[in-house]
Amino acid sequence: MDHSRLHRPFDDPAALARRCTLPAPGDVQLWLVHLPSQAGCEPLHTALLMNAEMQKVNAKATAALRQAALASRATLRMVLGGLLGIPASEVAFTSGHHGKPALAACHRSRIEFNLSHSGDYSVIAVTDGQAVGVDIEQVRPVPEWREIAASHFSPRERRVLEAGGPDAFFALWTGKEALIKATGDGLVDDLPSFDSAAEPGASRWEACTTDATGIRRWSLCTLDVPPGYAGCLAIEGALGQLQFAPGP
């Protein structure tokens, strides 16, 4: 993918809405947003968010983090508003027992979504009724990678990490995060209890988790993200096509 085409502002909700189409069952629509390109869109983006959302944005520690959170949340609203056929400012959210965001029941929609941002990029994933999680991370040195692995990774994940060294850390971390976010059921309480690692060289793979309903089966895949980043997607059931949505 030509990532340079992402370097444009999301400053026209109507134009973006015209590009929003609900993916087919099993497919995932992805929106990759270059956050620095959203500078100058703050008045528009602020107008789309509710007061509670702005409080969370303003609680970020730095101006860069506040701008990233604002642009990410506003773009999510524009995408969901386009899919629902309503103004972005009218999208209503709720959250699950463990805090995973979802569309409010008033929309009577099957749409599932997830959002992640790191560094200069955010990514939004949308499905038609399948639980989904996505993670993007800016690759950076992690001197304590072995210590993190010991407390967060399963035995198999630790073996994969030892074989791949520190360069494998973010591939494993984004897979773990994407799966945790997809389940939305508090697996964060026991991270080493489940395995999300791919076989060496695989770009798509499967994983299982267990909850009160029984065994849940997931499809994971690495994402085509810009150099210097790692990304992963997890979706419940079989994964069809990935559709990177065009910019505005």
Side-chain angles (χ1 to χ4, degrees), residues 11-60:
D11 57 358
D12 187 342
L16 188 148
R18 290 194 292 271
R19 290 164 168 80
C20 294
T21 56
L22 190 64
D27 293 351
V28 183
Q29 186 179 85
L30 294 159
W31 296 78
L32 190 59
V33 183
H34 182 242
L35 296 170
S37 297
Q38 311 313 309
C41 299
E42 287 87 351
L44 167 66
H45 291 170
T46 300
L48 298 180
L49 269 60
M50 303 294 288
N51 289 338
E53 292 173 295
M54 285 305 306
Q55 289 175 2
K56 292 180 180 179
V57 168
N58 291 330
K60 301 295 182 182

Side-chain angles (χ1 to χ4, degrees), residues 136-156:
I136 186 170
E137 295 287 345
Q138 188 172 27
V139 176
R140 55 199 182 275
V142 183
E144 67 279 18
W145 60 274
R146 282 192 173 91
E147 291 80 2
I148 294 174
S151 59
H152 290 72
F153 288 176
S154 70
R156 180 172 173 272

